Amino acid sequence: SQELEQSPQSLIVQEGKNLTINCTSSKTLYGLYWYKQKYGEGLIFLMMLQKGGEEKSHEKITAKLDEKKQQSSLHITASQPSHAGIYLCGADYVSQKLVFGQGTRLTINP
Amino acid sequence: ETGVTQSPTHLIKTRGQQVTLRCSSQSGHNTVSWYQQALGQGPQFIFQYYREEENGRGNFPPRFSGLQFPNYSSELNVNALELDDSALYLCASSPGPEETQYFGPGTRLLVL
């Protein structure tokens, strides 16, 4: 089984709608990273969370790490076509050897 | 732009051949990590180099090897290529082993 599970695996939303992507770990996280990937390209760093209860925002994207540090959510408000892509969470279990979830493919319909 | 570059962008090899992929890190980043991403999957950690020494390795066989050079460049070498080695190979650089990793655009390898 996967150490890091993302849900949903794919998501199609209407432009302007809000959405949430979840990332659940089978063990305590020391650090949780969110990256975005355009199909077949490199990963773009979005945010990093370390402390239980921590919440960070950048433009219309907000990420939270729950108190027990085993789950994180990524929330996008008023989605735009530029938000389309694959969102990956990466867990820092052992000193920056990141373990990634399988990704969530986000499609924004105009 | 992350300041991390990789070459080549695409590569086609046949089974049994050897391949070298290259990465140029951001200036000042003394740590580089390599990942393999199969189609539809998240990246899997291959190994990390810190100040030219291997600093951790994932579940990959010894035919995957690496080098890191003082000029912030690095290489991933794969010997005896297998069909399952077809994937996107990503390098990521960071200022140190404990810090945020910044990824390059990747090299897509196809093994026939």
Side-chain angles (χ1 to χ4, degrees):
Chain A
S1 62
Q2 286 267 93
E3 289 177 287
L4 209 57
E5 293 275 356
Q6 284 187 239
S7 62
Q9 290 189 18
S10 66
L11 192 54
I12 302 173
V13 300
Q14 205 72 24
E15 184 177 351
K17 297 293 187 184
N18 303 336
L19 62 105
T20 299
I21 297 168
N22 294 302
C23 177
T24 302
S25 172
S26 60
K27 47 191 180 182
T28 300
L29 299 161
Y30 292 99
L32 191 286
Y33 293 78
W34 283 100
Y35 287 88
K36 178 186 173 185
Q37 183 177 32
K38 290 286 190 183
Y39 180 74
E41 298 180 8
L43 280 62
I44 304 299
F45 171 70
L46 296 175
M47 274 170 276
M48 183 262 200
L49 305 164
Q50 270 188 310
K51 300 175 185 176
E54 187 173 14
E55 179 175 321
K56 288 186 177 178
S57 293
H58 176 67
E59 297 180 343
K60 295 184 178 180
I61 301 176
T62 300
K64 301 178 186 179
L65 182 62
D66 81 353
E67 290 287 344
K68 294 183 180 178
K69 297 177 67 176
Q70 286 198 261
Q71 188 171 40
S72 178
S73 60
L74 184 86
H75 184 77
I76 298 178
T77 304
S79 58
Q80 300 169 350
S82 61
H83 289 130
I86 300 169
Y87 288 81
L88 290 152
C89 62
D92 176 6
Y93 293 124
V94 180
S95 186
Q96 278 293 327
K97 282 70 169 176
L98 292 179
V99 173
F100 284 92
Q102 74 273 37
T104 295
R105 183 181 293 273
L106 174 63
T107 302
I108 308 293
N109 282 339
Chain B
E1 285 293 330
T2 63
V4 182
T5 60
Q6 291 186 244
S7 62
T9 54
H10 296 83
L11 202 50
I12 300 175
K13 291 285 189 178
T14 55
R15 197 169 45 181
Q17 284 189 311
Q18 178 266 343
V19 70
T20 298
L21 310 182
R22 293 179 172 84
C23 173
S24 179
S25 300
Q26 280 192 36
S27 179
H29 283 196
N30 57 25
T31 305
V32 64
S33 303
W34 286 89
Y35 294 82
Q36 180 195 67
Q37 186 178 25
L39 206 59
Q41 301 294 318
Q44 287 205 320
F45 173 74
I46 303 174
F47 45 57
Q48 182 184 83
Y49 277 78
Y50 170 59
R51 292 185 174 175
E52 301 159 49
E53 297 285 334
E54 189 176 290
N55 184 42
R57 189 178 184 92
N59 190 25
F60 280 81
R63 60 189 183 85
F64 285 77
S65 63
L67 286 171
Q68 185 187 25
F69 304 101
N71 64 351
Y72 305 113
S73 67
S74 57
E75 291 179 354
L76 164 66
N77 298 289
V78 188
N79 293 322
L81 283 166
E82 300 177 1
L83 298 180
D84 284 349
D85 295 334
S86 296
L88 181 68
Y89 288 84
L90 298 159
C91 76
S93 76
S94 53
E98 309 286 333
E99 301 183 63
T100 298
Q101 297 179 24
Y102 297 91
F103 284 78
T107 293
R108 184 162 295 283
L109 172 66
L110 178 62
V111 182
L112 301 174

